[in-house]
Amino acid sequence: MPDDADTSGGDFTDDIDVAGDPGSDDGSTSIGAVGIAAAGPGKAGAAFRTIGELSRETGLPQHILRYWETRFPQLRPLQRAGNRRYYRAEDAVLVRRIDTLLNREGYTVRGVQQLLAAEKTTPVTTDTIEPVIPALRAIRALLAQALVEDGRRA
């Protein structure tokens, strides 16, 4: 069987509490033959994180992260076979934001859902474009004049 095969039948291996050796030179530990490495302090910001790594970074229990996936459609980590979750950097930022809104600013789950839904990009309408058109025309005229002047110098 290949080394990277998922034989857990789920994300059970993400639930294992990794007790690292503080004296480890690379900041990572592994659990027996399973070979799960804890997130070291040198992990790149754009690197994918497992649910266990994100849980340790944020201090949130893994079951809370799974619950938030059911409540916030914006939070969609990549899922490999066996529902093993891999969070992108954007997902980690969103998790921290949800945590701040819920646990520090006092929002309810429904309140955060409404706030995140309202932040979706609004469609561009003629009302938002109309005030900008005169400014764009003025810039275009300045550029055309600069091109004419530049042509005279050449």
Side-chain angles (χ1 to χ4, degrees), residues 1 3-4 19-20 31-32 39-40 43 46 71 81 84 88 97-99 108 113 117-119 134 139 149:
M1 185 179 293
D3 292 333
D4 62 342
I31 303 173
K43 188 151 191 174
R71 295 292 171 235
R84 195 168 163 95
R88 301 174 202 88
R97 180 144 187 256
I98 292 170
D99 179 42
T108 61
Q113 288 171 335
E119 289 178 353
I139 292 170
E149 289 177 7

Side-chain angles (χ1 to χ4, degrees), residues 118-125 128:
E119 289 178 353
K120 287 184 178 178
T121 57
T122 57
V124 178
T125 62
T128 58

Side-chain angles (χ1 to χ4, degrees), residues 14-48:
D14 288 334
D15 294 334
I16 297 173
D17 189 19
V18 178
D21 178 26
S24 173
D25 50 310
D26 68 349
S28 65
T29 59
S30 63
I31 303 173
V34 177
I36 300 172
K43 188 151 191 174
F48 285 81

Side-chain angles (χ1 to χ4, degrees), residues 128-151:
T128 58
I129 294 175
E130 300 258 343
V132 179
I133 291 175
L136 291 173
R137 286 188 176 140
I139 292 170
R140 184 174 63 185
L142 287 172
L143 289 172
Q145 183 181 359
L147 285 173
V148 168
E149 289 177 7
D150 191 42

